[in-house]
Amino acid sequence: MVFTPLSWVFVAEHVPRQYLSVACSYVTASFLVGVLFSNAFFLWLTDFMTTVQLTDYGWRLPFFVGALLTCLPLLVWRLVKETPFFLALDKPKTGKNLGRPFTVLFKRCKHSIFVSMVLTIVISSITSVIVLLLPELIEINFTLDSDLFSFSHSLGIVFMVLGCVFYGMISTHENFGKILVIGSVLLIAQTLAFFYHLQAGGDYILIMYALLGFCAGIMGMIPAILVQLFPTNVRLTGISFVIILPTVSWVC
């Protein structure tokens, strides 16, 4: 999974609590915007180069561009200060626990680890299936116009960005559970309607893909829950740990 826990934690610890959910949803939505740009770059490559050129040297260009873009946040990071929450920690206690964050994590945050793993599986499933695997699954089992379907997938990601921001705006620490349940039910219902529509011919694939993407935006509010489950001294360690497990399972 390519979401960075560092971005969630850093943003969450800089904004007031009432803006926590919407701020984390912006971070999640920014990943999806990156997916759109990568898809557009790939389409440009396939239109600009022949198959022989792509096989020969063109496939290296995305890695080269990605390496250059990676240098930008590294340079900016040198100018960024620690979060107020981290600076407010008691320095003697911080030094005492600095060498054993996993010990503190597994000793005091077992319940938080379990809840976070469940929520992380939700994010990983939505990202892996709807963003990455769904196009190939549809092409294997259904016959649709390739250009229309490609545009539909991109449109779905655009509405997923909007959905992330929407759920981030309407959710707060007081209604996280209610919004998550309602949003999950809507996502399940829209997923069933989406595949039923494909079996019926897929005449309204644009509308159905847009609705599916918007409903999948429920994952935009989950990072705000994750950052509140762990104390500041092990927050980044805890979120990083629970995120890497679903990532490894999907890769395997």
Side-chain angles (χ1 to χ4, degrees):
M1 182 177 172
V2 292
F3 291 117
T4 166
L6 182 60
S7 299
W8 286 337
V9 173
F10 185 80
V11 171
E13 293 185 354
H14 268 91
V15 299
R17 190 178 186 185
Q18 62 267 30
Y19 302 120
L20 172 63
S21 183
V22 67
C24 289
S25 70
Y26 281 139
V27 176
T28 308
S30 67
F31 160 74
L32 299 172
V33 173
V35 173
L36 287 174
F37 277 107
S38 64
N39 290 344
F41 184 69
F42 178 76
L43 290 175
W44 176 79
L45 278 180
T46 55
D47 292 338
F48 182 75
M49 295 183 175
T50 64
T51 303
V52 176
Q53 290 174 326
L54 284 173
T55 305
D56 186 25
Y57 62 89
W59 62 271
R60 295 182 176 90
L61 292 179
F63 293 96
F64 179 74
V65 174
L68 291 179
L69 294 178
T70 302
C71 295
L72 295 178
L74 292 177
L75 294 175
V76 175
W77 196 258
R78 297 172 63 90
L79 305 175
V80 176
K81 298 180 180 179
E82 292 289 354
T83 66
F85 282 79
F86 186 83
L87 294 175
L89 288 175
D90 186 25
K91 292 185 178 180
K93 291 183 179 180
T94 304
K96 182 179 178 181
N97 295 331
L98 189 61
R100 51 186 181 88
F102 276 102
T103 301
V104 178
L105 183 66
F106 286 102
K107 186 176 181 180
R108 303 180 182 177
C109 306
K110 296 179 181 178
H111 176 72
S112 298
I113 291 175
F114 174 76
V115 175
S116 298
M117 288 180 64
V118 175
L119 294 175
T120 303
I121 290 174
V122 175
I123 300 179
S124 300
S125 301
I126 293 175
T127 306
S128 301
V129 175
I130 296 181
V131 177
L132 302 178
L133 300 179
L134 187 58
E136 295 184 4
L137 293 175
I138 293 177
E139 289 181 352
I140 292 174
N141 295 280
F142 302 95
T143 303
L144 296 173
D145 180 80
S146 59
D147 293 334
L148 178 62
F149 176 71
S150 178
F151 179 77
S152 300
H153 179 64
S154 299
L155 183 65
I157 297 178
V158 170
F159 273 83
M160 194 180 298
V161 172
L162 299 177
C164 285
V165 177
F166 171 77
Y167 279 107
M169 293 177 63
I170 66 172
S171 60
T172 64
H173 65 280
E174 298 177 351
N175 65 0
F176 275 144
K178 182 185 298 185
I179 297 298
L180 184 60
V181 171
I182 296 175
S184 299
V185 172
L186 291 176
L187 176 58
I188 294 173
Q190 177 55 26
T191 302
L192 295 175
F194 180 80
F195 281 99
Y196 178 81
H197 164 260
L198 288 177
Q199 291 179 345
D203 295 333
Y204 303 99
I205 184 65
L206 289 175
I207 297 176
M208 298 302 291
Y209 225 133
L211 291 176
L212 179 64
F214 189 85
C215 292
I218 187 65
M219 68 179 184
M221 61 169 288
I222 294 180
I225 304 176
L226 296 178
V227 297
Q228 294 185 93
L229 288 173
F230 297 97
T232 306
N233 58 330
V234 293
R235 179 172 291 149
L236 181 58
T237 303
I239 298 177
S240 301
F241 174 74
V242 299
I243 281 180
I244 196 173
L245 292 182
T247 304
V248 172
S249 65
W250 278 111
V251 171
C252 297

